[in-house]
DNA sequence: GATTTTTATATGTCTGACAATTGATTTTGA
DNA sequence: TCAAAATCAATTGTCAGACATATAAAAATC
């Protein structure tokens, strides 16, 4: 998969890569205990600080966890969905903010991926998911809600839509796409009228999923996509005028 | 987004979180130079090894890069797509292998997301993308190809399909979904007949995209999904018999 | 003026030490 | 004997100080 042939970079990077490869290859199974830092420094012929730097690199990716004490050490971590979510969201957010991705491009990707969920979500969504959507819609229609809170509720609504597909892999993949948009959305000032329209479209989506009508949900999502892009465009145009 | 209120964990983890937050918040812009390790250890009132562990954590997430020498130091890294791909693929792969995700669930997510690309890909795919798909199909029909090489070519084919949408955000999101499946796919032994059928479906997809017919591509993908799942089921059944 | 040498500054690595945590072991007391 | 308390041992977390190495800028040299 990768060029593990050419050792590159610092010693700590090489050691981290070596251990990472062992984990991915399955040579180190979940909850297996790595040798102690002292033993690792002997094995790799480096000092303990260098070993520690390598272990911290792995810890940052949630590949290992460490425990102090007599029976402590570094253990191969069971990578759970929340850990993966966090990483994905951080990476996606920075990727969008650093690569001059247009709001149109990001929206296109996000809504296309969300539409990939509608068929499954229409089929499998539980009453819980529908209730979450309605609750978030209610929150969104409260007057006096800050733009940030409105966006956060919007994210929650769409996550409920995605989670309705009852496919954790899909939820994981979509987490980044949905959440990473939030900083971009926060730049938009939502007028009372635009909020009203968005909530109405959310209503159409929720109704369609409740009726298990994926096509209607698709249409509403498409309309929401176009409306979001047009709102963003207005903001950018207004900003250009100043 | 996160609970940055409660400082948790080791000092190096706290310091890493603090710097990470500053990067995400935009207080540290791309290519900005962080204070030297000596200065950071003064600011945070910790020793240099501790600062270094924190910096290695950030380097592992490709948030910073370091440079030695007189004008060296730690710089906020411009997170590029390939960096993000690598992280996504590593995380997705481990997530699948550690969470007993069924092949059916993973396939469902992957193909649903791929179908999200077909409309755009049918519209925008370049001759290059089509050529890549044809070339991979040719490789896949060569006799004597190992199962691993067949799977790798399969990944390349599907990446061309995704890249055809000409949306880098989508390509990034899908990279994990497609590549993370490869280890699972490698467990399948592809007979000559099953390869033939897969290549035939690939042909349908390529033809549909060339004709800019998204619906046909969708159908072929759906059939490919069902066929992949049935192949995987056969392997598992055969394994259960022994 | 171009080239070489020096220098300053930064990260990379090492050694050795001590602090803190924690499960296991031993001791103590009823 | 058994339970509680004290001790121990192993391990990670942190620190101080040093030297090695890389690198760009400055100085010296031709």
């Amino acid at each position: 998969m990768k060029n593990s042939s050419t050792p590159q970079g610092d010693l700590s990077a090489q050691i981290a890569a070596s251990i990472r490869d062992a984990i991915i290859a399955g040579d180190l199974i979940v909850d297996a205990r790595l040798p102690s830092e002292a033993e690792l420094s002997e094995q790799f012929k480096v000092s303990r600080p260098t070993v520690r730097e390598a272990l911290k690199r792995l810890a940052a990716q949630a590949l290992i966890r460490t425990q102090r004490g007599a029976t402590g050490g570094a253990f191969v971590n069971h990578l759970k969905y929340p850990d993966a979510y966090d990483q994905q969201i951080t990476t996606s957010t920075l990727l969008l903010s650093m690569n001059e991705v247009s709001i149109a491009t990001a929206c296109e990707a996000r809504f296309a991926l969300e539409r990939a969920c509608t068929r499954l979500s229409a089929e499998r969504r539980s009453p819980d998911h529908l209730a979450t959507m309605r609750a978030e819609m209610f929150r969104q229609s409260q007057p006096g809600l800050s733009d940030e809170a409105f966006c956060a509720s919007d994210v929650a609504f769409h996550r409920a839509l995605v989670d309705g597909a009852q496919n954790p892999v899909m939820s994981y993949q979509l987490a980044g796409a949905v959440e990473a948009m939030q900083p971009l959305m926060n730049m938009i000032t939502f007028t009372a009228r635009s909020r009203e329209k968005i909530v109405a479209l959310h209503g159409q989506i929720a109704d369609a999923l409740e009726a298990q009508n994926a096509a209607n949900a698709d249409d509403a999502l498409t309309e929401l996509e176009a409306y979001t892009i047009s709102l963003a465009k207005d903001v950018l145009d207004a900003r250009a005028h100043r």
Side-chain angles (χ1 to χ4, degrees), chain A residues 96-128:
Chain A
L96 288 193
S97 73
M98 285 182 177
N99 284 277
E100 293 156 13
V101 174
S102 73
I103 293 191
T105 301
C107 272
E108 177 178 278
R110 172 192 159 169
F111 284 99
L113 295 177
E114 268 193 59
R115 278 191 297 268
C117 301
T118 51
R119 214 195 70 230
L120 293 170
S121 199
E123 192 180 313
R124 302 184 189 159
R125 84 288 176 284
S126 72
D128 250 21

Side-chain angles (χ1 to χ4, degrees), chain A residues 5-229:
Chain A
S5 57
T6 322
Q8 271 178 345
D10 305 337
L11 287 179
S12 69
Q14 289 176 36
I15 293 168
S18 166
I19 298 175
R20 177 162 46 239
D21 288 349
I23 294 175
I24 293 175
D27 300 336
L28 291 167
I29 61 172
V30 169
D31 290 333
R33 183 181 172 280
L34 273 63
S36 71
E37 294 174 354
E39 288 170 313
L40 285 173
S41 62
E42 273 186 29
Q43 284 180 27
F44 287 104
K45 314 272 193 204
V46 298
S47 65
R48 195 158 82 93
T50 302
V51 166
R52 283 182 60 80
E53 287 176 11
L55 294 180
K56 294 314 166 199
R57 294 179 115 107
L58 299 175
Q61 296 178 292
L63 295 187
I64 63 169
R65 63 179 187 280
T66 54
Q67 216 175 358
R68 281 163 75 154
T71 59
F75 299 85
V76 177
N77 196 28
H78 185 135
L79 187 66
K80 292 173 212 98
Y81 284 100
D83 300 328
Y85 283 174
D86 285 348
Q87 283 192 258
Q88 246 245 310
I89 291 167
T90 301
T91 305
S92 299
T93 303
L94 284 169
L95 197 60
L96 288 193
S97 73
M98 285 182 177
N99 284 277
E100 293 156 13
V101 174
S102 73
I103 293 191
T105 301
C107 272
E108 177 178 278
R110 172 192 159 169
F111 284 99
L113 295 177
E114 268 193 59
R115 278 191 297 268
C117 301
T118 51
R119 214 195 70 230
L120 293 170
S121 199
E123 192 180 313
R124 302 184 189 159
R125 84 288 176 284
S126 72
D128 250 21
H129 296 123
L130 293 171
T132 300
M133 290 191 231
R134 305 286 186 197
E136 296 299 340
M137 283 166 55
F138 176 74
R139 181 171 304 157
Q140 288 156 21
S141 51
Q142 293 296 102
L145 198 69
S146 73
D147 280 341
E148 283 73 19
F150 183 80
C151 288
S153 172
D154 183 72
V155 166
F157 176 91
H158 286 276
R159 288 197 68 151
L161 153 63
V162 170
D163 290 341
Q166 309 260 25
N167 183 315
V169 176
M170 203 128 112
S171 291
Y172 155 70
Q173 295 285 352
L174 268 287
V178 174
E179 299 249 3
M181 285 288 299
Q182 198 170 346
L184 293 180
M185 299 292 288
N186 276 339
M187 300 182 345
I188 302 177
T189 307
F190 294 97
T191 61
R193 240 189 69 209
S194 63
R195 287 192 187 185
E196 201 178 323
K197 171 145 187 181
I198 288 173
V199 174
L201 286 168
H202 284 173
Q204 285 186 32
I205 294 170
D207 290 347
L209 292 184
E210 186 154 20
Q212 306 200 301
N213 185 331
N216 279 4
D218 268 21
D219 291 343
L221 273 172
T222 302
E223 200 175 335
L224 184 55
E225 175 185 351
Y227 187 60
T228 305
I229 291 175

